[in-house]
Amino acid sequence: IFNIFIRSIYLNTNTNINIKKAGMKDERKTNEKIEEIPFDSDAKWMGVRYSIHGRKTWYVKGAVETILPRCQTFYHSLTTSSSVMEEYNKMASSSLRVIGLAYGDDINHLIFLGLIGMVDPPRRGVEEAIRVAKDSGIHVIMITGDSHDTAVAIARSISIYEGDNIALSGNEIDLMSDSELST
């Protein structure tokens, strides 16, 4: 079970929620799902469309950089794309896995709801295993699907990322030659 960290940009308040302990009701059971676009690791988002009281609405979640371009408005009127990205960067730099949420009648004209950051700390013993590997002369590399900022924050917390290390995105790695990757 994830602990969910929700940040309201408009109110600038933090809320920690353990969904199971909060006793939240699963609304999916009482509403008709009409359509689903499954998560795709290249697209970095997914969506479901439900009929709720006769109204067909999309609910979308995914990487913030893929959700924001689909949004025409914001749930909180004082929110902007730049304030969302600023908050996203703060959350990701704090080791949170951050996703954006949006909804609307048209999949390409959504209303941005907010950000959710999930706390998923490294397993107990990982830092010690990394220390032993490094002491044995092994060059440790971390590969993850997390955002750049989240990956660097997590790598720092378990002593993989140090001052002179580099962090590369999947796109940057794809552009590298075999000889560049071997160094």
Side-chain angles (χ1 to χ4, degrees):
I1 296 175
F2 285 109
N3 282 321
I4 306 295
F5 178 84
I6 301 172
R7 171 149 269 193
S8 167
I9 297 168
Y10 177 69
L11 299 174
N12 198 26
T13 57
N14 302 330
T15 306
N16 287 299
I17 296 175
N18 181 310
I19 289 176
K20 188 173 182 180
K21 288 181 183 175
M24 297 173 84
K25 181 181 173 189
D26 188 346
E27 295 290 338
R28 295 174 295 181
K29 295 176 182 177
T30 58
N31 295 294
E32 177 189 1
K33 182 174 18 173
I34 300 169
E35 190 175 350
E36 180 172 354
I37 299 172
F39 181 80
D40 176 275
S41 59
D42 292 327
K44 299 181 184 177
W45 68 275
M46 61 121 5
V48 292
R49 192 174 191 196
Y50 278 89
S51 177
I52 301 173
H53 305 297
R55 184 174 178 182
K56 297 174 183 175
T57 305
W58 281 100
Y59 297 91
V60 179
K61 66 180 178 179
V64 177
E65 67 272 13
T66 64
I67 299 299
L68 269 179
R70 295 178 170 278
C71 296
Q72 304 303 309
T73 59
F74 298 89
Y75 186 75
H76 294 294
S77 62
L78 298 179
T79 302
T80 64
S81 291
S82 60
S83 67
V84 169
M85 291 309 296
E86 183 179 326
E87 196 58 41
Y88 163 78
N89 289 328
K90 287 180 194 173
M91 293 171 73
S93 296
S94 299
S95 302
L96 295 173
R97 294 188 166 112
V98 185
I99 61 173
L101 302 174
Y103 77 100
D105 298 336
D106 182 327
I107 194 74
N108 292 308
H109 295 89
L110 299 169
I111 299 166
F112 187 82
L113 284 171
L115 303 171
I116 292 182
M118 293 172 279
V119 177
D120 186 20
R123 290 194 169 101
R124 195 174 310 162
V126 168
E127 190 170 2
E128 174 64 15
I130 290 167
R131 187 191 58 74
V132 169
K134 283 181 166 183
D135 289 350
S136 300
I138 297 171
H139 180 74
V140 179
I141 297 173
M142 182 176 97
I143 299 175
T144 179
D146 289 323
S147 73
H148 180 273
D149 291 344
T150 300
V152 168
I154 291 169
R156 275 196 178 108
S157 76
I158 55 177
S159 302
I160 291 178
Y161 190 90
E162 296 166 350
D164 60 344
N165 292 132
I166 60 169
L168 302 170
S169 70
N171 291 339
E172 291 169 320
I173 291 172
D174 289 344
L175 296 174
M176 294 175 74
S177 67
D178 289 345
S179 62
E180 289 174 310
L181 287 171
S182 67
T183 58

Short mmCIF file of all heavy atoms in Angstrom, two decimals, residues 4-17 74-80 83-88 90-91 96 98-101 112-117:
data_model
loop_
_atom_site.label_atom_id
_atom_site.label_comp_id
_atom_site.label_asym_id
_atom_site.label_seq_id
_atom_site.Cartn_x
_atom_site.Cartn_y
_atom_site.Cartn_z
N ILE A 4 0.01 8.16 0.13
CA ILE A 4 -0.17 9.16 -0.91
C ILE A 4 0.02 10.55 -0.30
O ILE A 4 -0.53 10.85 0.74
CB ILE A 4 -1.58 9.06 -1.52
CG1 ILE A 4 -1.87 7.64 -2.03
CG2 ILE A 4 -1.77 10.07 -2.64
CD1 ILE A 4 -1.01 7.21 -3.18
N PHE A 5 0.80 11.35 -0.98
CA PHE A 5 1.03 12.73 -0.57
C PHE A 5 0.34 13.61 -1.59
O PHE A 5 0.68 13.58 -2.76
CB PHE A 5 2.54 13.00 -0.57
CG PHE A 5 2.91 14.39 -0.22
CD1 PHE A 5 3.02 14.76 1.11
CD2 PHE A 5 3.15 15.34 -1.19
CE1 PHE A 5 3.38 16.05 1.43
CE2 PHE A 5 3.51 16.62 -0.88
CZ PHE A 5 3.63 16.98 0.44
N ILE A 6 -0.66 14.32 -1.15
CA ILE A 6 -1.42 15.17 -2.06
C ILE A 6 -1.08 16.62 -1.76
O ILE A 6 -1.11 17.05 -0.62
CB ILE A 6 -2.94 14.95 -1.91
CG1 ILE A 6 -3.28 13.48 -2.21
CG2 ILE A 6 -3.71 15.88 -2.83
CD1 ILE A 6 -4.70 13.13 -1.91
N ARG A 7 -0.79 17.36 -2.79
CA ARG A 7 -0.47 18.77 -2.60
C ARG A 7 -1.46 19.60 -3.39
O ARG A 7 -1.62 19.41 -4.58
CB ARG A 7 0.93 19.08 -3.08
CG ARG A 7 1.18 20.60 -3.07
CD ARG A 7 2.57 20.92 -2.81
NE ARG A 7 2.72 21.08 -1.39
CZ ARG A 7 3.77 21.61 -0.83
NH1 ARG A 7 4.77 21.98 -1.53
NH2 ARG A 7 3.85 21.75 0.45
N SER A 8 -2.13 20.46 -2.70
CA SER A 8 -3.03 21.38 -3.37
C SER A 8 -2.22 22.63 -3.68
O SER A 8 -1.75 23.31 -2.79
CB SER A 8 -4.21 21.74 -2.46
OG SER A 8 -4.90 22.83 -2.98
N ILE A 9 -2.03 22.90 -4.96
CA ILE A 9 -1.22 24.04 -5.36
C ILE A 9 -1.90 25.34 -4.96
O ILE A 9 -1.28 26.27 -4.47
CB ILE A 9 -0.96 24.00 -6.87
CG1 ILE A 9 -0.16 22.74 -7.20
CG2 ILE A 9 -0.23 25.24 -7.34
CD1 ILE A 9 -0.09 22.44 -8.66
N TYR A 10 -3.19 25.40 -5.15
CA TYR A 10 -3.93 26.62 -4.86
C TYR A 10 -3.87 26.97 -3.38
O TYR A 10 -3.61 28.11 -3.01
CB TYR A 10 -5.38 26.46 -5.32
CG TYR A 10 -6.26 27.64 -5.01
CD1 TYR A 10 -6.08 28.85 -5.67
CD2 TYR A 10 -7.25 27.55 -4.06
CE1 TYR A 10 -6.88 29.94 -5.39
CE2 TYR A 10 -8.06 28.63 -3.77
CZ TYR A 10 -7.87 29.82 -4.44
OH TYR A 10 -8.66 30.89 -4.15
N LEU A 11 -4.10 25.98 -2.53
CA LEU A 11 -4.10 26.23 -1.09
C LEU A 11 -2.71 26.12 -0.47
O LEU A 11 -2.50 26.53 0.65
CB LEU A 11 -5.04 25.24 -0.40
CG LEU A 11 -6.50 25.33 -0.83
CD1 LEU A 11 -7.30 24.20 -0.18
CD2 LEU A 11 -7.09 26.67 -0.47
N ASN A 12 -1.77 25.53 -1.23
CA ASN A 12 -0.41 25.32 -0.75
C ASN A 12 -0.41 24.57 0.58
O ASN A 12 0.26 24.94 1.53
CB ASN A 12 0.37 26.63 -0.64
CG ASN A 12 1.86 26.36 -0.58
OD1 ASN A 12 2.33 25.35 -1.08
ND2 ASN A 12 2.59 27.26 0.03
N THR A 13 -1.19 23.50 0.65
CA THR A 13 -1.25 22.68 1.85
C THR A 13 -0.89 21.25 1.49
O THR A 13 -1.04 20.82 0.35
CB THR A 13 -2.66 22.69 2.47
OG1 THR A 13 -3.59 22.23 1.49
CG2 THR A 13 -3.04 24.08 2.93
N ASN A 14 -0.41 20.51 2.46
CA ASN A 14 -0.03 19.12 2.27
C ASN A 14 -0.99 18.22 3.02
O ASN A 14 -1.44 18.56 4.11
CB ASN A 14 1.37 18.86 2.82
CG ASN A 14 2.40 19.76 2.19
OD1 ASN A 14 2.26 20.16 1.05
ND2 ASN A 14 3.44 20.09 2.93
N THR A 15 -1.30 17.08 2.45
CA THR A 15 -2.14 16.11 3.11
C THR A 15 -1.53 14.74 2.87
O THR A 15 -1.23 14.39 1.73
CB THR A 15 -3.57 16.13 2.52
OG1 THR A 15 -4.06 17.46 2.59
CG2 THR A 15 -4.48 15.20 3.29
N ASN A 16 -1.35 13.97 3.91
CA ASN A 16 -0.91 12.60 3.78
C ASN A 16 -2.11 11.69 3.96
O ASN A 16 -2.86 11.84 4.90
CB ASN A 16 0.15 12.26 4.83
CG ASN A 16 1.47 12.91 4.50
OD1 ASN A 16 2.04 12.65 3.46
ND2 ASN A 16 1.94 13.78 5.38
N ILE A 17 -2.27 10.74 3.05
CA ILE A 17 -3.41 9.83 3.11
C ILE A 17 -2.92 8.40 2.89
O ILE A 17 -2.17 8.14 1.97
CB ILE A 17 -4.44 10.15 2.00
CG1 ILE A 17 -5.03 11.54 2.20
CG2 ILE A 17 -5.54 9.10 1.97
CD1 ILE A 17 -5.96 11.95 1.07
N PHE A 74 -7.86 24.81 -15.42
CA PHE A 74 -7.42 24.25 -14.14
C PHE A 74 -8.58 24.29 -13.15
O PHE A 74 -9.38 25.23 -13.16
CB PHE A 74 -6.24 25.06 -13.59
CG PHE A 74 -5.04 25.00 -14.49
CD1 PHE A 74 -4.87 25.93 -15.50
CD2 PHE A 74 -4.10 24.00 -14.33
CE1 PHE A 74 -3.78 25.87 -16.35
CE2 PHE A 74 -3.00 23.94 -15.17
CZ PHE A 74 -2.85 24.86 -16.17
N TYR A 75 -8.64 23.28 -12.32
CA TYR A 75 -9.71 23.20 -11.32
C TYR A 75 -9.68 24.42 -10.40
O TYR A 75 -10.70 25.00 -10.09
CB TYR A 75 -9.57 21.91 -10.51
CG TYR A 75 -10.71 21.68 -9.56
CD1 TYR A 75 -11.95 21.25 -10.03
CD2 TYR A 75 -10.54 21.88 -8.19
CE1 TYR A 75 -13.00 21.04 -9.16
CE2 TYR A 75 -11.60 21.67 -7.32
CZ TYR A 75 -12.82 21.25 -7.80
OH TYR A 75 -13.86 21.04 -6.95
N HIS A 76 -8.47 24.81 -9.98
CA HIS A 76 -8.30 26.03 -9.19
C HIS A 76 -7.93 27.16 -10.14
O HIS A 76 -6.94 27.08 -10.85
CB HIS A 76 -7.21 25.86 -8.13
CG HIS A 76 -7.54 24.86 -7.09
ND1 HIS A 76 -8.57 25.03 -6.20
CD2 HIS A 76 -6.99 23.66 -6.78
CE1 HIS A 76 -8.64 23.99 -5.39
NE2 HIS A 76 -7.70 23.15 -5.74
N SER A 77 -8.70 28.20 -10.15
CA SER A 77 -8.54 29.26 -11.15
C SER A 77 -7.20 29.99 -11.07
O SER A 77 -6.76 30.57 -12.04
CB SER A 77 -9.69 30.27 -11.03
OG SER A 77 -9.66 30.89 -9.76
N LEU A 78 -6.52 29.96 -9.92
CA LEU A 78 -5.24 30.65 -9.79
C LEU A 78 -4.05 29.79 -10.21
O LEU A 78 -2.92 30.25 -10.19
CB LEU A 78 -5.05 31.14 -8.35
CG LEU A 78 -6.08 32.15 -7.87
CD1 LEU A 78 -5.80 32.55 -6.42
CD2 LEU A 78 -6.09 33.39 -8.75
N THR A 79 -4.30 28.55 -10.59
CA THR A 79 -3.22 27.65 -11.01
C THR A 79 -2.85 27.92 -12.46
O THR A 79 -3.70 28.22 -13.29
CB THR A 79 -3.69 26.19 -10.85
OG1 THR A 79 -4.07 25.96 -9.50
CG2 THR A 79 -2.59 25.22 -11.21
N THR A 80 -1.54 27.79 -12.75
CA THR A 80 -1.04 27.93 -14.12
C THR A 80 -0.14 26.73 -14.43
O THR A 80 0.30 26.02 -13.51
CB THR A 80 -0.20 29.21 -14.28
OG1 THR A 80 0.96 29.10 -13.42
CG2 THR A 80 -1.00 30.45 -13.92
N SER A 83 3.07 27.09 -12.49
CA SER A 83 2.98 26.79 -11.05
C SER A 83 2.87 25.29 -10.82
O SER A 83 3.40 24.76 -9.84
CB SER A 83 1.81 27.53 -10.38
OG SER A 83 0.56 27.07 -10.83
N VAL A 84 2.22 24.59 -11.74
CA VAL A 84 2.13 23.13 -11.64
C VAL A 84 3.53 22.53 -11.78
O VAL A 84 3.95 21.68 -10.99
CB VAL A 84 1.18 22.54 -12.70
CG1 VAL A 84 1.31 21.02 -12.78
CG2 VAL A 84 -0.26 22.94 -12.41
N MET A 85 4.28 22.96 -12.79
CA MET A 85 5.62 22.42 -13.00
C MET A 85 6.57 22.77 -11.87
O MET A 85 7.41 21.97 -11.48
CB MET A 85 6.17 22.88 -14.35
CG MET A 85 5.45 22.27 -15.55
SD MET A 85 5.28 20.46 -15.50
CE MET A 85 7.00 19.95 -15.56
N GLU A 86 6.44 23.95 -11.31
CA GLU A 86 7.26 24.35 -10.17
C GLU A 86 6.99 23.42 -8.98
O GLU A 86 7.92 22.93 -8.33
CB GLU A 86 6.96 25.80 -9.79
CG GLU A 86 7.82 26.33 -8.66
CD GLU A 86 7.50 27.78 -8.35
OE1 GLU A 86 7.15 28.54 -9.27
OE2 GLU A 86 7.59 28.13 -7.16
N GLU A 87 5.73 23.15 -8.72
CA GLU A 87 5.36 22.27 -7.61
C GLU A 87 5.78 20.83 -7.90
O GLU A 87 6.27 20.12 -7.03
CB GLU A 87 3.86 22.34 -7.35
CG GLU A 87 3.47 21.78 -6.02
CD GLU A 87 4.16 22.47 -4.86
OE1 GLU A 87 4.30 23.70 -4.85
OE2 GLU A 87 4.58 21.75 -3.93
N TYR A 88 5.61 20.41 -9.13
CA TYR A 88 6.04 19.08 -9.55
C TYR A 88 7.54 18.90 -9.28
O TYR A 88 7.96 17.88 -8.72
CB TYR A 88 5.73 18.87 -11.04
CG TYR A 88 6.49 17.73 -11.66
CD1 TYR A 88 6.07 16.42 -11.45
CD2 TYR A 88 7.62 17.96 -12.42
CE1 TYR A 88 6.79 15.36 -12.01
CE2 TYR A 88 8.33 16.92 -12.97
CZ TYR A 88 7.90 15.61 -12.76
OH TYR A 88 8.62 14.58 -13.30
N LYS A 90 9.45 20.44 -7.14
CA LYS A 90 9.68 20.37 -5.69
C LYS A 90 9.36 18.98 -5.16
O LYS A 90 10.11 18.41 -4.37
CB LYS A 90 8.81 21.40 -4.95
CG LYS A 90 9.24 22.82 -5.09
CD LYS A 90 8.28 23.71 -4.30
CE LYS A 90 8.42 25.16 -4.64
NZ LYS A 90 7.38 25.99 -4.00
N MET A 91 8.22 18.46 -5.58
CA MET A 91 7.80 17.14 -5.09
C MET A 91 8.74 16.04 -5.57
O MET A 91 9.15 15.18 -4.79
CB MET A 91 6.36 16.85 -5.53
CG MET A 91 5.34 17.76 -4.87
SD MET A 91 3.68 17.60 -5.59
CE MET A 91 3.18 16.01 -4.94
N LEU A 96 9.48 11.94 -4.26
CA LEU A 96 8.11 11.52 -4.49
C LEU A 96 7.92 11.12 -5.96
O LEU A 96 8.45 11.79 -6.85
CB LEU A 96 7.12 12.63 -4.14
CG LEU A 96 7.07 13.04 -2.68
CD1 LEU A 96 6.20 14.27 -2.50
CD2 LEU A 96 6.55 11.89 -1.82
N VAL A 98 5.57 11.37 -8.77
CA VAL A 98 4.50 12.35 -8.97
C VAL A 98 3.72 12.05 -10.25
O VAL A 98 4.31 11.82 -11.30
CB VAL A 98 5.08 13.78 -9.05
CG1 VAL A 98 3.97 14.81 -9.15
CG2 VAL A 98 5.98 14.06 -7.85
N ILE A 99 2.40 12.09 -10.14
CA ILE A 99 1.54 11.98 -11.31
C ILE A 99 0.55 13.13 -11.32
O ILE A 99 0.22 13.68 -10.28
CB ILE A 99 0.79 10.63 -11.40
CG1 ILE A 99 -0.14 10.42 -10.21
CG2 ILE A 99 1.76 9.48 -11.54
CD1 ILE A 99 -1.03 9.20 -10.33
N GLY A 100 0.11 13.48 -12.52
CA GLY A 100 -0.90 14.51 -12.68
C GLY A 100 -2.26 13.87 -12.89
O GLY A 100 -2.38 12.77 -13.43
N LEU A 101 -3.31 14.56 -12.45
CA LEU A 101 -4.69 14.10 -12.59
C LEU A 101 -5.51 15.15 -13.32
O LEU A 101 -5.35 16.34 -13.08
CB LEU A 101 -5.31 13.88 -11.21
CG LEU A 101 -4.64 12.89 -10.28
CD1 LEU A 101 -5.31 12.93 -8.92
CD2 LEU A 101 -4.67 11.51 -10.86
N PHE A 112 -7.31 20.31 -15.40
CA PHE A 112 -6.24 19.79 -14.54
C PHE A 112 -6.70 19.86 -13.08
O PHE A 112 -7.11 20.91 -12.59
CB PHE A 112 -4.95 20.61 -14.72
CG PHE A 112 -3.79 20.01 -14.00
CD1 PHE A 112 -3.08 18.97 -14.56
CD2 PHE A 112 -3.42 20.48 -12.75
CE1 PHE A 112 -2.01 18.40 -13.89
CE2 PHE A 112 -2.37 19.92 -12.07
CZ PHE A 112 -1.65 18.87 -12.64
N LEU A 113 -6.63 18.70 -12.40
CA LEU A 113 -7.05 18.63 -11.00
C LEU A 113 -5.92 18.89 -10.02
O LEU A 113 -6.09 19.61 -9.05
CB LEU A 113 -7.64 17.25 -10.70
CG LEU A 113 -9.03 16.99 -11.22
CD1 LEU A 113 -9.39 15.51 -11.05
CD2 LEU A 113 -10.02 17.86 -10.47
N GLY A 114 -4.78 18.27 -10.23
CA GLY A 114 -3.69 18.44 -9.28
C GLY A 114 -2.64 17.36 -9.42
O GLY A 114 -2.63 16.60 -10.38
N LEU A 115 -1.77 17.32 -8.44
CA LEU A 115 -0.64 16.39 -8.41
C LEU A 115 -0.79 15.43 -7.24
O LEU A 115 -1.27 15.82 -6.18
CB LEU A 115 0.67 17.16 -8.23
CG LEU A 115 0.98 18.23 -9.26
CD1 LEU A 115 2.19 19.04 -8.82
CD2 LEU A 115 1.24 17.60 -10.62
N ILE A 116 -0.35 14.22 -7.46
CA ILE A 116 -0.27 13.25 -6.36
C ILE A 116 1.16 12.75 -6.34
O ILE A 116 1.72 12.37 -7.38
CB ILE A 116 -1.23 12.07 -6.56
CG1 ILE A 116 -2.67 12.54 -6.43
CG2 ILE A 116 -0.94 10.97 -5.55
CD1 ILE A 116 -3.68 11.44 -6.56
N GLY A 117 1.76 12.75 -5.16
CA GLY A 117 3.10 12.21 -4.99
C GLY A 117 3.04 10.98 -4.11
O GLY A 117 2.44 11.00 -3.04
#
